[in-house]
Amino acid sequence: TPDLMSRLTGYSPSAFDNTFCNDANSLFDITGFSAHLDATQMLMSNLMHETSNFYYMKEIASGWAYEGRADLGNTQPGDGPKFKGGGVLMLTGRHNYTRCSQSLGDPKIVEIGVDYLANTYPFMSAECWIKENDLLDICLTEGFDACCKRINGGWNGYEDRKTKYAICQREIKF
């Protein structure tokens, strides 16, 4: 709810509209996290860190650094900025946007790019990655540190992730 998002982030409830909250609920339901309180708290704290408390739903950088990156599927002129990081896990590259588009059944994700993705599927853009990386099982069997490492690939921002985890443990209740 907007009220919960406000308690988690410190922003006004009005900063979180129904599209945003419904998309968050859909992600947690579809990936199975909503059935596990501690796993929900782990994931939410990491998503908060990745986006500076949901302030940056698009990568701050221009995306030109990704231009021509075949490993991301960026093979057409303008792909770098069009498919720069977007959503709660900063989905990046034409390849990943195409997979997301197919998974969600919405061709506009590839046609329009990061602005559409960040505004329409801020959370659900992470569904495919979460499922393919077995993130729920990692949270349930290996815990918070393993969740952080899988999402980040290392330990960047670990202290902030732990601080946000404590907030989530206090505020998110089933």
Side-chain angles (χ1 to χ4, degrees):
T1 65
D3 184 55
L4 173 59
M5 291 294 191
S6 175
R7 293 193 320 270
L8 293 174
T9 65
Y11 303 139
S12 168
S14 65
F16 305 101
D17 63 16
N18 285 335
T19 298
F20 186 87
C21 292
N22 290 341
D23 199 57
N25 290 330
S26 292
L27 176 68
F28 282 83
D29 287 345
I30 288 171
T31 57
F33 276 81
S34 61
H36 306 278
L37 178 60
D38 197 38
T40 292
Q41 295 162 337
M42 289 179 206
L43 178 57
M44 185 66 84
S45 62
N46 276 277
L47 300 180
M48 290 166 59
H49 172 79
E50 292 294 322
T51 59
S52 294
N53 284 346
F54 308 121
Y55 187 79
Y56 296 107
M57 298 310 291
K58 296 185 288 188
E59 186 174 357
I60 299 168
S62 69
W64 284 108
Y66 304 125
E67 189 69 7
R69 292 262 314 264
D71 61 319
L72 296 173
N74 291 346
T75 57
Q76 299 179 28
D79 277 358
K82 183 176 183 179
F83 301 116
K84 71 180 187 174
V88 292
L89 286 181
M90 296 296 154
L91 189 71
T92 306
R94 178 180 283 277
H95 172 74
N96 290 319
Y97 274 65
T98 300
R99 290 175 58 243
C100 179
S101 173
Q102 292 167 344
S103 175
L104 297 177
D106 188 346
K108 289 182 182 177
I109 293 170
V110 175
E111 292 167 14
I112 299 171
V114 67
D115 291 329
Y116 181 77
L117 177 100
N119 292 323
T120 310
Y121 302 107
F123 285 85
M124 284 298 293
S125 59
E127 175 201 13
C128 190
W129 186 92
I130 287 171
K131 286 180 175 178
E132 287 177 359
N133 283 274
D134 241 355
L135 192 61
L136 178 59
D137 185 60
I138 288 168
C139 291
L140 294 175
T141 61
E142 299 178 45
F144 179 73
D145 286 358
C147 175
C148 295
K149 183 145 185 177
R150 179 62 60 115
I151 288 173
N152 180 255
W155 301 107
N156 292 334
Y158 181 69
E159 291 303 317
D160 184 58
R161 292 171 197 273
K162 282 193 338 187
T163 299
K164 290 178 183 343
Y165 183 43
I167 293 168
C168 289
Q169 288 176 309
R170 181 185 72 229
E171 297 297 334
I172 299 174
K173 308 288 183 205
F174 287 173

